């Protein structure tokens, strides 16, 4: 099975993430890129992050980012934040 299929992405999208520097290019074996589970996990995090952003913010990912922002984005992809708790409804006191 291909890494793009596992991450529910297209091959073009995976190469695009390589181009942006969000996903490291793995070593090749017999002419094929040798992805492991860490690549699949990272692709899933990138996809989840991109789905949370507005379309205009996703377009910004295609632009050259300053090194500080690129490092921050890569750090966020390596160490995702824990899920947020849903807000509690205010209690009504009468």
């Amino acid at each position: 099975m291909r890494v793009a299929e596992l991450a529910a992405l297209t091959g073009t999208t995976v190469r695009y993430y390589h181009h942006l520097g969000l996903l490291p290019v793995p070593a090749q074996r017999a002419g094929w890129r040798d992805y492991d589970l860490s690549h699949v996990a990272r692709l899933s995090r990138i996809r989840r992050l991109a789905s949370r952003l507005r379309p205009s913010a996703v377009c910004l990912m295609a632009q050259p980012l300053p090194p500080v922002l690129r490092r921050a984005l890569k750090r966020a992809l390596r160490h995702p934040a824990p899920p947020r708790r849903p807000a509690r409804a205010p209690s009504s006191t009468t």
Side-chain angles (χ1 to χ4, degrees):
M1 185 173 275
R2 295 180 173 168
V3 69
E5 292 171 7
L6 286 172
L9 298 167
T10 65
T12 303
T13 303
V14 173
R15 288 188 296 277
Y16 179 65
Y17 292 153
H18 287 308
H19 174 75
L20 291 177
L22 297 175
L23 182 70
V25 179
Q28 290 192 359
R29 187 185 314 182
W32 292 85
R33 291 183 177 172
D34 192 21
Y35 292 94
D36 59 23
L37 289 178
S38 68
H39 290 98
V40 176
R42 189 166 192 159
L43 280 169
S44 295
R45 286 194 300 268
I46 293 170
R47 185 170 160 248
R48 196 168 52 246
L49 177 65
S51 71
R52 290 180 184 166
L53 297 174
R54 295 180 183 204
S56 58
V58 174
C59 292
L60 286 175
M61 291 173 65
Q63 304 301 318
L65 294 175
V68 172
L69 291 178
R70 185 172 295 279
R71 283 192 301 270
L73 182 57
K74 286 183 178 181
R75 201 172 324 121
L77 292 172
R78 276 195 307 272
H79 306 289
R84 296 174 65 185
R85 290 188 199 176
R88 290 184 3 178
S91 61
S92 61
T93 57
T94 56

